[in-house]
């Protein structure tokens, strides 16, 4: 594995080439097709996953099939660490949204990895960021209407995954309407109507599989 790939992963920021070489020896590199269930809620976990390419959704799925998407993760992000830290069952199900390549790290090697002060610092910073994001999601669900929740979701995705255009707008890959519905707690039909409203009001533009966020949308839909 090329060390430059690992250098692009925020978790490994600041590690020496020697430590990165040692890390490569501890991990297994795997590729999974779209719609592969990587971990299931309530199962016992013994591995942590670090995404090199592709995307996954982290979700809670009810017995009737209803799904709540907690987050969508992409290259440079990781999951599965909670079960390795507290020895509790998995808290969510993780499914690939596209062909995804990742590094897999076993529990004993993960705990050994945390002895590195740079990795521990990066790890804690990531967990802190996730907690802030979870708090923002709870606040959004409690205080915003559906239109506001969808608008804030788009702004968050634009910040995380977007590419800035010359006119100041931001483009990012659009999740499916069902994925959006599962992320904001509404129906797919409502998502279609709300996207139509946002488009008619010139806050967004749909371009194929992409969404373009117009400049000024963040002022119209501030954080709750």
């Amino acid at each position: 594995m090329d060390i430059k790939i690992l250098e692009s992963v925020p978790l490994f920021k600041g590690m020496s080439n020697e430590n990165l070489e040692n890390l490569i020896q501890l991990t297994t590199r795997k590729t999974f097709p779209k719609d592969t269930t990587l971990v299931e809620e309530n199962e016992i976990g013994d591995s942590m996953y670090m995404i090199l390419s592709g995307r996954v959704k982290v979700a809670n799925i009810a017995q009737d099939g209803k799904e709540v998407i907690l987050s969508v993760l992409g290259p440079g992000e990781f999951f599965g660490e909670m079960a390795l830290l507290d020895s509790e069952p998995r808290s969510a199900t993780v499914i690939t949204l596209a062909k995804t390549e990742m590094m897999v790290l076993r529990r004993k090697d993960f705990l050994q990895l945390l002895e590195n002060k740079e990795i521990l610092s990066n790890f804690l910073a990531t967990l802190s960021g996730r907690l802030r994001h979870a708090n923002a999601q709870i606040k959004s669900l409690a205080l915003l209407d559906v239109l506001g929740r969808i608008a804030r979701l788009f702004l968050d995705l634009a910040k995380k995954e977007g590419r800035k255009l010359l006119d100041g707008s931001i483009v990012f890959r659009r999740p499916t309407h069902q994925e959006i519905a599962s992320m904001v707690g509404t129906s797919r039909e409502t998502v279609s109507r709300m996207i139509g409203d946002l488009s008619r009001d010139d806050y967004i533009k749909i371009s194929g599989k992409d969404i373009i966020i117009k400049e000024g949308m963040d002022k119209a839909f501030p954080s709750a």
Side-chain angles (χ1 to χ4, degrees), residues 18-158:
E18 181 181 357
N19 284 334
L20 289 173
E21 289 281 8
N22 292 334
L23 174 62
I24 290 173
Q25 303 304 315
L26 297 176
T27 61
T28 303
R29 192 169 178 174
K30 294 184 178 181
T31 301
F32 301 91
K34 181 181 178 182
D35 296 325
T36 299
T37 298
L38 301 171
V39 303
E40 290 193 68
E41 186 176 358
N42 295 322
E43 73 177 5
I44 301 300
D46 67 348
S47 297
M48 171 185 167
Y49 298 78
M50 292 158 283
I51 303 171
L52 299 177
S53 66
R55 296 164 70 240
V56 305
K57 63 180 177 182
V58 182
N60 292 132
I61 304 173
Q63 290 185 348
D64 63 2
K66 185 177 181 180
E67 179 181 79
V68 176
I69 297 178
L70 305 175
S71 62
V72 174
L73 305 177
E77 297 184 286
F78 60 87
F79 61 91
E81 76 289 343
M82 288 175 59
L84 305 190
L85 288 170
D86 60 16
S87 299
E88 293 291 324
R90 300 287 193 189
S91 61
T93 296
V94 182
I95 302 172
T96 57
L97 293 172
K99 181 181 177 181
T100 302
E101 184 178 19
M102 54 187 61
M103 295 166 53
V104 183
L105 189 66
R106 297 294 182 185
R107 179 195 298 271
K108 65 180 180 63
D109 297 321
F110 167 71
L111 295 176
Q112 177 184 333
L113 199 62
L114 291 184
E115 294 176 5
N116 180 290
K117 63 180 182 180
E118 287 88 1
I119 287 186
L120 179 59
S121 177
N122 295 339
F123 179 75
L124 293 175
T126 301
L127 292 187
S128 176
R130 290 183 178 179
L131 181 58
R132 290 179 184 276
H133 176 69
N135 288 342
Q137 281 184 307
I138 294 169
K139 192 175 180 181
S140 174
L141 287 170
L143 301 178
L144 297 179
D145 59 15
V146 175
L147 181 65
R149 297 202 299 270
I150 292 174
R152 286 309 313 174
L153 172 66
F154 287 170
L155 288 166
D156 289 344
L157 290 174

